[in-house]
Amino acid sequence: MTFFNYFVRLVFLILWMIFFLNFFKPFSSHWSSTVTFAGLLLSILHLSEFVVVQSSPKFIRRAGIVDVIYVLLFGSNYWLPILEKQAANQSANHALKGEDPTNDSK
């Protein structure tokens, strides 16, 4: 993973810590509702992303509870490295077979 991926994951973890901290010790005035709204919106977006990725025609792998938690925490920053690794493996397999990966007739 690149530095950018680690940085984004760190930002997401900080956001989630602030979101959960807000439940135990609410922030003052409008910050409490802003943090709550942002956290709920982010969790809805990440959950919908999980549903879209799992229902895509490309087989990634069967999702377990760990995958669900990671997608809720990190979103596409969790799935993109998996998809890139899968694409690299497919192109390597095509190269070993002597096929052109851009002309896949399946």
Side-chain angles (χ1 to χ4, degrees):
M1 279 200 299
T2 64
F3 173 75
F4 179 73
N5 286 349
Y6 286 116
F7 178 73
V8 170
R9 285 187 179 201
L10 179 66
V11 169
F12 276 132
L13 285 176
I14 291 170
L15 284 171
W16 286 118
M17 287 190 320
I18 291 171
F19 176 69
F20 287 115
L21 180 65
N22 185 39
F23 280 116
F24 298 114
K25 186 175 179 183
F27 300 131
S28 62
S29 68
H30 73 283
W31 284 110
S32 178
S33 60
T34 303
V35 168
T36 302
F37 178 74
L40 291 175
L41 180 66
L42 193 61
S43 63
I44 290 170
L45 287 173
H46 285 181
L47 192 59
S48 64
E49 176 189 349
F50 175 76
V51 170
V52 167
V53 168
Q54 284 300 309
S55 64
S56 70
K58 279 188 166 183
F59 177 73
I60 296 171
R61 67 177 185 212
R62 186 168 297 275
I65 189 69
V66 175
D67 290 329
V68 174
I69 292 171
Y70 280 153
V71 170
L72 285 176
L73 286 176
F74 304 121
S76 64
N77 200 23
Y78 174 69
W79 285 114
L80 287 179
I82 294 173
L83 293 173
E84 289 171 355
K85 185 177 179 182
Q86 185 182 31
N89 287 342
Q90 278 184 339
S91 63
N93 286 340
H94 285 297
L96 288 175
K97 293 179 184 177
E99 298 174 355
D100 184 14
T102 59
N103 190 12
D104 195 8
S105 60
K106 289 184 182 179

